[in-house]
């Protein structure tokens, strides 16, 4: 009896690790299958699926450190389903590791994604790389997403500066077209007003040469009464400095040759613009303009 008891204990010591490993392997397979389904739901904006697997105590910490709860995340996915701001070109997960113990699991992976703005599909793609960590729990027999965190790697400053340099030149060309003497209806038909709508962020504010502050709506509205016609817009002294992964500052000088009510004039402006990339391509969130006397 004593020998049998000792043997049982000995066998338990030997067998237990294998039993745990088998149990862990089964849980890992379940988690990997769930993560695949979850990724598919996120990519397709399957709100019904997401509502079932994201509980009330869910927390997401983004690359910027900002925390979002269940309602905020579901609202974001709903908006992206109904009115997407970006088009996903590619998304790749690598080095996926699953650690499952009982009803809990942690998944880590590297990710690389490329996107372009939905309304500017020919724009240079933006590449995001980083690390992702997800915490999952099996509740009432079903795996759920409890918490996620993204850590984004530093972007290539030189690439960002090239992108904003081009965006700044394109914006200068757009300003010349918007002030070439056409009517408001013609500007709408040409798509130039829509281009301005895209490039100005919702939060856009301009401190103009006269010291007044103008928002996005006012900027768009101003073309209904504009009476200046630009003949040329010469951009010079353009400089761009990347601030972080999603922001850059551009400065420069523009010399306009224009007609004001038929009278030729020269306007020289110095400007400073703050550009941001929040999933809509590069947009201007603020700019300051000062008139220069020749």
């Amino acid at each position: 009896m004593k020998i049998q008891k000792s043997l049982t204990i000995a066998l338990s010591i030997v067998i237990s690790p294998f039993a745990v490993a088998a149990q862990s392997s089964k849980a890992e397979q379940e988690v990997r299958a769930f993560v695949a389904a979850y990724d598919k739901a996120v990519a397709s904006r399957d709100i019904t699926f997401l509502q079932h697997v994201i509980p009330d105590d869910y927390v997401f910490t983004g690359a910027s450190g900002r925390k979002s709860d269940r309602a905020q995340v579901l609202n974001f996915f709903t908006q992206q389903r109904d009115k997407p701001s970006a088009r996903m070109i590619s998304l790749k997960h690598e080095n996926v590791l699953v650690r499952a113990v009982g009803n809990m699991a942690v998944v880590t992976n590297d990710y690389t994604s490329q996107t372009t703005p939905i309304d500017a599909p020919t724009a240079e793609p933006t590449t995001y790389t980083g690390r992702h960590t997800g915490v999952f729990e099996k509740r009432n027999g079903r795996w759920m997403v409890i918490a996620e965190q993204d850590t984004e790697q530093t972007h290539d400053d030189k690439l960002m500066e090239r992108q904003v340099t081009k965006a700044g030149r394109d914006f200068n060309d757009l300003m010349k077209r918007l002030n070439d003497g056409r009517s408001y209806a013609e500007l709408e038909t040409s798509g130039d007003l829509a281009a301005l709508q895209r490039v100005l962020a919702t939060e856009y504010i301009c401190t103009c040469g006269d010291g007044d502050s103008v928002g996005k709506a006012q900027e768009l509205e101003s073309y209904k009464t504009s009476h200046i016609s630009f003949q040329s817009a010469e951009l010079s002294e353009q400089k761009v400095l990347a601030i972080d992964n999603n922001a850059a500052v551009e400065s420069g000088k523009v010399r306009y040759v224009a007609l004001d009510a038929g009278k030729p004039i020269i306007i020289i402006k110095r400007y400073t613009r703050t550009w941001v990339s929040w999933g809509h391509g590069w947009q201007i969130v603020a700019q300051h303009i000062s008139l220069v006397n020749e």
Side-chain angles (χ1 to χ4, degrees):
M1 189 72 174
K2 187 174 182 179
I3 294 175
Q4 185 178 3
K5 185 176 181 181
S6 299
L7 184 59
T8 301
I9 294 173
L11 288 174
S12 297
I13 294 173
V14 174
I15 293 172
S16 291
F18 291 100
V20 171
Q23 185 179 10
S24 177
S25 177
K26 181 181 177 182
E28 179 181 332
Q29 291 173 10
E30 287 184 1
V31 172
R32 285 184 179 274
F34 173 76
V35 170
Y38 178 61
D39 284 347
K40 182 179 179 181
V42 169
S44 64
R45 312 308 191 201
D46 185 345
I47 305 303
T48 301
F49 181 92
L50 296 175
Q51 287 174 331
H52 282 92
V53 301
I54 298 178
D56 291 338
D57 54 349
Y58 169 88
V59 175
F60 174 78
T61 305
S64 65
R66 182 177 297 176
K67 186 174 71 173
S68 301
D69 59 20
R70 179 182 189 269
Q72 291 169 317
V73 167
L74 290 175
N75 182 58
F76 169 78
F77 284 131
T78 301
Q79 290 178 341
Q80 290 301 304
R81 179 197 63 188
D82 298 340
K83 192 176 181 181
S85 60
R87 181 175 66 90
M88 181 72 70
I89 298 175
S90 64
L91 174 62
K92 182 167 60 176
H93 293 129
E94 296 180 308
N95 303 321
V96 180
L97 295 177
V98 178
R99 298 170 178 84
V101 180
N103 290 330
M104 297 295 298
V106 176
V107 178
T108 60
N109 66 271
D110 300 319
Y111 66 83
T112 302
S113 68
Q114 282 195 320
T115 64
T116 57
I118 199 73
D119 51 7
T122 60
E124 185 174 1
T126 299
T127 300
Y128 301 91
T129 59
R131 292 279 295 166
H132 174 266
T133 300
V135 180
F136 304 87
E137 183 180 5
K138 198 171 189 179
R139 297 180 177 178
N140 298 320
R142 184 176 64 191
W143 286 99
M144 306 194 79
V145 189
I146 306 304
E148 294 181 274
Q149 179 164 348
D150 281 345
T151 301
E152 192 175 341
Q153 293 180 359
T154 303
H155 289 190
D156 183 342
D157 285 354
K158 297 302 180 184
L159 173 60
M160 292 171 58
E161 288 167 4
R162 287 199 303 271
Q163 290 175 338
V164 173
T165 296
K166 181 181 183 301
R169 291 172 181 165
D170 290 344
F171 183 71
N172 185 62
D173 292 341
L174 176 61
M175 287 296 98
K176 183 177 181 300
R177 295 198 305 273
L178 285 168
N179 293 280
D180 63 2
R182 288 176 294 165
S183 67
Y184 189 83
E186 289 173 318
L187 295 179
E188 282 188 310
T189 302
S190 69
D192 287 331
L193 277 176
L196 182 62
Q197 172 85 18
R198 287 194 299 268
V199 78
L200 300 183
T202 303
E203 301 82 359
Y204 170 82
I205 190 74
C206 175
T207 303
C208 303
D210 55 8
D212 287 344
S213 292
V214 176
K216 181 174 181 177
Q218 293 170 288
E219 182 82 27
L220 292 165
E221 189 76 9
S222 68
Y223 291 96
K224 289 184 176 180
T225 57
S226 177
H227 57 274
I228 294 178
S229 176
F230 291 163
Q231 307 302 296
S232 66
E234 181 184 345
L235 176 62
S236 62
E237 300 180 31
Q238 185 188 28
K239 297 179 181 178
V240 175
L241 176 65
I243 302 301
D244 64 13
N245 280 357
N246 302 297
V249 174
E250 176 201 5
S251 62
K253 183 171 73 172
V254 185
R255 183 179 188 272
Y256 298 105
V257 177
L259 294 176
D260 186 359
K263 179 182 178 182
I265 58 172
I266 294 176
I267 304 171
I268 301 176
K269 297 180 179 181
R270 283 197 175 275
Y271 68 88
T272 301
R273 296 188 191 115
T274 301
W275 292 82
V276 294
S277 179
W278 292 335
H280 307 275
W282 286 103
Q283 294 181 297
I284 302 170
V285 72
Q287 72 169 331
H288 189 113
I289 298 172
S290 298
L291 294 175
V292 178
N293 295 322
E294 279 196 315

